[in-house]
Amino acid sequence: DIQMTQSPSSVSASVGDRITITCRASQGISSWLAWYQQKPGKVPKLLIYAATSLQSGVPSRFSGSGSGTDFTLTISSLQPEDFATYYCQQANSFPFTFGPGTKVEIK
Amino acid sequence: QVQLQESGPGLVKPSETLSLTCTVSGGSISSYFWSWIRQSPGKGLEWIGYFYYSGSTNYNPSLKSRVTMSLDTSKNQFSLKLNSVTAADTAVYYCASGSTWNYFDYWGQGTLVTVSS
């Protein structure tokens, strides 16, 4: 199985901050990567797929980059509704696997 | 807009079979790939497997020997059976779908299944 790691595990930030979350795959996955946002008690929501493609309806302050083994999710200007946990998921090979999550908290 | 709703027992005894159904509305069950994903505090998000109406399937090897997925196109439902459950199978179970087999656009609200005697 491809192992996914994320860093940091949590980050404290203020509204308006720019934050970057990193995801690393244990082997190359080309651009087969997705990012999901999950708020407490809610369902994961697809934000980005194919490493850089924004899912319909997702604000443009979210962006993704990377290929191979190293990927990033950037939120350019953090909004109150963005405080959540973010997960990456490799979509390259079975079984699909998720990272452990990065919790974005209010400073 | 596709909407998914899981249903099934919230409590299952060890060694028994966990059975869940996902009812699909707002879309044809033959138009998407259907997956089950579970989430537990100890193991995070875990993909269980997918099923496509053509019969194409793929299950997580860690669960493959215990998992069966099926579609009922007449009822627009997607089902999961996981047998010989243990406490380690306690989790929130989500059904999810996507226009491809590897990204999950739509999720059900999730159903907590506890394995306990």
Side-chain angles (χ1 to χ4, degrees):
Chain A
D1 298 4
I2 296 175
Q3 307 303 316
M4 306 300 292
T5 56
Q6 289 182 235
S7 61
S9 57
S10 66
V11 57
S12 293
S14 301
V15 172
D17 285 353
R18 176 186 182 92
I19 68 162
T20 298
I21 298 168
T22 298
C23 175
R24 176 164 290 174
S26 62
Q27 63 190 76
I29 57 171
S30 186
S31 295
W32 295 104
L33 185 101
W35 289 98
Y36 298 84
Q37 175 194 66
Q38 186 176 31
K39 298 179 182 179
K42 300 296 185 182
V43 173
K45 174 186 175 183
L46 178 64
L47 298 177
I48 288 171
Y49 62 96
T52 61
S53 297
L54 204 63
Q55 176 71 346
S56 175
V58 174
S60 59
R61 63 181 179 272
F62 291 92
S63 64
S65 65
S67 67
T69 60
D70 296 315
F71 301 86
T72 59
L73 171 71
T74 298
I75 308 175
S76 60
S77 178
L78 206 59
Q79 298 301 300
E81 61 267 31
D82 300 337
F83 293 96
T85 299
Y86 294 84
Y87 297 93
C88 60
Q89 174 234 329
Q90 66 84 11
N92 181 73
S93 58
F94 298 116
F96 303 133
T97 48
F98 293 84
T102 294
K103 187 173 184 179
V104 177
E105 300 174 300
I106 301 173
K107 184 182 285 184
Chain B
Q1 176 84 357
V2 175
Q3 293 187 310
L4 312 177
Q5 175 78 51
E6 302 92 347
S7 58
L11 181 64
V12 181
K13 290 182 168 55
S15 80
E16 295 190 345
T17 296
L18 179 160
S19 295
L20 296 175
T21 298
C22 179
T23 300
V24 180
S25 58
S28 169
I29 205 163
S30 61
S31 299
Y32 297 91
F33 292 81
W34 303 97
S35 285
W36 288 96
I37 295 165
R38 67 183 185 181
Q39 185 172 30
S40 61
K43 296 190 73 175
L45 286 161
E46 182 178 27
W47 176 79
I48 299 171
Y50 90 84
F51 193 98
Y52 189 54
Y53 84 100
S54 65
S56 171
T57 64
N58 195 290
Y59 300 147
N60 193 320
S62 67
L63 299 167
K64 187 175 182 177
S65 63
R66 300 193 289 130
V67 169
T68 304
M69 295 182 186
S70 60
L71 292 183
D72 185 334
T73 55
S74 67
K75 295 181 179 179
N76 242 29
Q77 290 179 336
F78 173 52
S79 297
L80 167 72
K81 291 188 187 299
L82 180 67
N83 58 37
S84 304
V85 298
T86 69
D89 295 310
T90 293
V92 175
Y93 286 75
Y94 296 100
C95 60
S97 69
S99 52
T100 64
W101 65 91
N102 52 356
Y103 296 119
F104 312 112
D105 306 15
Y106 304 104
W107 296 63
Q109 88 286 355
T111 187
L112 173 62
V113 178
T114 302
V115 178
S116 175
S117 55

